[in-house]
Amino acid sequence: MTLRVQILKDKFSQSLGLPFKELLPSSVIEQALSELKIRYYRRLFDPIVTLWAFLSQVLDPDKSCHNAVSKAIAYLAEQGVEIPSSDTSAYCQARSRLPEKFLENLFSQVGKSLEEKVEIEHLWCGRNVKVIDGSTVSMPDTLDNQKAYPQPSTQASGCGFPIAKIGVIFSLATGAAIALCIDTLNTHDIKLARNLYQFLNPLDILLGDRAFCAYADLVSIKNRNCDAVFRKHQARKTTMRKGKIIGSSDKLVTWQKPKKCPKGLSKDEFNALPSTITVREIYYYIVVPGFRTEQVSLITTLLDTTAYSTLDIVGLYGQRWDVELNLRHLKTTLGMDILRCKTPSMIRK
């Protein structure tokens, strides 16, 4: 058994296209197991082999469990050792035994290790930028999945598939996802975002679209010693009659605290909000021949015009599209727009 496990570990760690040796070596996995005090029997599919097999299964065009087990058998056959059964039961049970917290910790560790390798010249104005956005994923129509992530209410029962909404934060410097949360379809993007702010590091800059541009969220981000660059929410009108002009198409504006407690905030959280905040508003125009000229207004907490010029911030918001491309890559290129697991726990994993 020990020989077969070692053969699989060596094969997975050296496989082309699978960066386990650099990003997720066995030493990192063993440390995560030790921190969570996870004990396991000496099986062929121990947590390390199971995790690598699971990841290679997700990356493979053929995402079936049978294909994952067949790969392990092929690796062992090359070495002339005893071949295990081709039945997928042992592998599927091993996947289900992997704790979600274990995978969450590894996910976080990989993102941090990538960011530690980023040189200062790849940062924006010397600071790390994180991009946030939301998306959806579909899954098999099982009773458990429907209960955890119900299908859209506009669809008749039995005529749709369970859908979950995900919120993701990517690092602009590395392109890697560093934080993720999952909830039901009718969850607003801003609720997902509030679950993700805890993963920001001091001095990070959060970049997002208009869905995240809310008074309470700007305050929360500033309280974490971070800054934000969002597109202005459509509910707020743009006028140059208010505010202090600090440059061409650039001004400082004082926002008043909402009169009513917004949805998603408790009374205590609402009462703790300051009566006013000062933000910077930048607007510019997108002119495309043959199309109506569009005005874009940006709201940011970066008030220093010397360190963060108007053009720098406008150029930074242009990179927000990277989050759309990253999500499209995960969902379309990796075939993860429709997940294949039949239980909510495996869907999250």
Side-chain angles (χ1 to χ4, degrees):
M1 179 65 74
T2 303
L3 175 61
R4 292 194 297 176
V5 171
Q6 191 59 48
I7 289 172
L8 289 179
K9 288 180 179 179
D10 292 341
K11 199 68 178 180
F12 274 119
S13 66
Q14 298 169 11
S15 294
L16 294 176
L18 302 178
F20 301 150
K21 187 175 182 180
E22 295 81 12
L23 299 181
L24 204 59
S26 57
S27 59
V28 172
I29 303 175
E30 289 169 354
Q31 181 180 352
L33 291 169
S34 176
E35 290 174 353
L36 293 175
K37 298 180 180 179
I38 298 174
R39 303 179 66 181
Y40 55 92
Y41 294 107
R42 300 186 67 85
R43 297 185 174 98
L44 179 62
F45 288 107
D46 68 3
I48 300 176
V49 172
T50 302
L51 177 64
W52 283 344
F54 193 6
L55 289 172
S56 63
Q57 179 185 357
V58 172
L59 293 170
D60 199 293
D62 182 355
K63 301 182 185 299
S64 66
C65 292
H66 177 75
N67 181 56
V69 174
S70 297
K71 276 186 178 180
I73 292 176
Y75 291 157
L76 294 174
E78 292 176 358
Q79 303 298 320
V81 297
E82 182 184 353
I83 303 301
S85 170
S86 60
D87 184 61
T88 61
S89 176
Y91 170 62
C92 292
Q93 290 180 44
R95 284 197 321 171
S96 66
R97 285 193 298 266
L98 291 176
E100 288 184 44
K101 187 64 178 176
F102 167 63
L103 297 180
E104 288 176 6
N105 290 355
L106 288 176
F107 171 67
S108 176
Q109 177 63 34
V110 169
K112 288 179 181 178
S113 64
L114 284 171
E115 288 201 310
E116 288 171 357
K117 299 177 183 179
V118 176
E119 303 293 339
I120 187 70
E121 60 265 24
H122 297 120
L123 301 179
W124 182 83
C125 294
R127 295 178 65 175
N128 241 318
V129 178
K130 306 294 173 59
V131 197
I132 188 170
D133 202 9
S135 188
T136 59
V137 290
S138 179
M139 62 195 76
D141 189 16
T142 65
L143 290 177
D144 289 340
N145 286 345
Q146 279 283 11
K147 186 176 180 180
Y149 306 108
Q151 68 184 58
S153 57
T154 55
Q155 294 178 334
S157 179
C159 297
F161 290 89
I163 299 180
K165 177 169 281 191
I166 57 172
V168 191
I169 290 181
F170 290 93
S171 168
L172 192 63
T174 67
I178 62 165
L180 179 142
C181 63
I182 182 170
D183 212 323
T184 56
L185 178 63
N186 60 0
T187 304
H188 196 280
D189 285 352
I190 209 164
K191 181 182 177 182
L192 294 176
R194 287 167 183 166
N195 292 328
L196 295 171
Y197 294 156
Q198 60 181 307
F199 298 102
L200 295 176
N201 298 318
L203 299 181
D204 279 351
I205 297 174
L206 187 62
L207 182 64
D209 62 18
R210 60 181 55 165
F212 308 101
C213 188
Y215 186 97
D217 292 76
L218 291 173
V219 172
S220 177
I221 292 168
K222 283 299 295 180
N223 288 341
R224 296 178 181 275
N225 197 24
C226 299
D227 286 291
V229 177
F230 297 143
R231 186 170 180 178
K232 189 176 185 179
H233 195 276
Q234 62 271 20
R236 289 185 177 269
K237 295 182 179 180
T238 299
T239 174
M240 289 305 294
R241 290 180 297 176
K242 296 181 180 180
K244 177 184 177 182
I245 305 297
I246 56 175
S248 178
S249 304
D250 198 341
K251 63 180 180 177
L252 296 179
V253 183
T254 299
W255 281 9
Q256 304 292 327
K257 178 180 176 179
K259 295 181 180 179
K260 295 183 179 179
C261 180
K263 292 182 179 179
L265 287 183
S266 67
K267 272 292 183 183
D268 291 338
E269 290 172 332
F270 178 70
N271 293 334
L273 294 177
S275 57
T276 62
I277 58 170
T278 300
V279 297
R280 186 175 171 189
E281 181 173 353
I282 299 171
Y283 67 95
Y284 60 97
Y285 297 93
I286 299 176
V287 181
V288 180
F291 294 86
R292 181 180 297 175
T293 299
E294 181 181 2
Q295 178 177 307
V296 177
S297 294
L298 303 180
I299 299 296
T300 179
T301 57
L302 298 168
L303 307 184
D304 188 343
T305 56
T306 303
Y308 314 105
S309 70
T310 305
L311 289 178
D312 283 339
I313 294 175
V314 170
L316 175 63
Y317 188 75
Q319 298 182 60
R320 193 206 67 83
W321 181 245
D322 286 0
V323 71
E324 307 279 355
L325 299 179
N326 288 345
L327 283 169
R328 183 180 299 175
H329 175 63
L330 287 174
K331 292 176 61 177
T332 306
T333 309
L334 297 184
M336 296 181 69
D337 51 339
I338 301 177
L339 304 181
R340 290 161 176 79
C341 299
K342 297 182 180 180
T343 64
S345 174
M346 287 304 301
I347 286 293
R348 291 189 291 271
K349 292 178 187 181

